[in-house]
Amino acid sequence: MKVKKFFLTISAALLLAGAPAASAQLNLGRAAKSLGKAAQAVTLTDAQMVQYVKEYIDWMDKNNPVLPPDDPYTKRLDSLTAGLTSVEGMPLNFKVYNVIDVNAFACADGSVRVFAALMDIMDDDELLGVIGHEVGHVAHKDSKKAFKQALLTSALLDGVASTNGTAAALTDSQLGKLGEALVGATYSKKQESAADEYGYEFLKSHGKNPRAMAKSFKKLKQLQEEAGAGKSSKLNQLFSSHPDLDARIKNMEAKADKEGY
């Protein structure tokens, strides 16, 4: 199956990753301009955050080629995620973007988006490991914190006011800037490790083989090596995670070995 030509891939969170240097530079500039709006960002209510997250994921789904329910990619993802209906009481929903970037992301509302190109290079266990990790970030509210920070650093609150506690709608331009800021979002070493642990337990508790976590990290390491050390590539940017993959593989395999998986 061929993946359609790239249309739009502004990711809500880089797959297990750090940010590209260019995006980080842009975000620093925006952050400096946004200091005056910090108080307004901090006082966003939960209801306003819910509205902004929904507006963003709706915009992403509209501006990316979402594969229909009867597509083989969608059927595969649906089969793979059968039984993964919620995390910490939050409903999960899954869709496939038919784009050529190797990526996946989870939004703060439980929306998980997997790119067709990632599905092309990963088997089911490897994909489950990626999904488990991303769900871990949602469960620990890392995705929500990253989204809120992006609202601040991308200066989206210029001219955006709330009326009767309802967040004002964002323009296409503002949503695009939000996407750029989210591409530059990074998770700490502690957050990444905690997401790994949560993903392992989440898969295990839903009858999936948690060794999938180690398998996904092995594939990421393989992709890194194939991309070439020192080369400036999307893969190196995408998978420059921390702690390093060797440590993450060792930790996940040790847990699986101990528990007989």
Side-chain angles (χ1 to χ4, degrees), residues 184-204:
T186 58
Y187 294 126
S188 69
K189 180 178 179 179
K190 182 178 180 180
Q191 286 173 316
E192 293 285 20
S193 296
D196 290 350
E197 296 290 335
Y198 189 96
Y200 182 98
E201 296 299 331
F202 178 78
L203 294 180
K204 184 174 71 171

Side-chain angles (χ1 to χ4, degrees), residues 201-220:
E201 296 299 331
F202 178 78
L203 294 180
K204 184 174 71 171
S205 67
H206 286 79
K208 313 289 186 181
N209 189 342
R211 188 176 285 274
M213 299 294 296
K215 289 190 68 177
S216 69
F217 298 151
K218 284 184 176 180
K219 175 54 68 80
L220 299 184

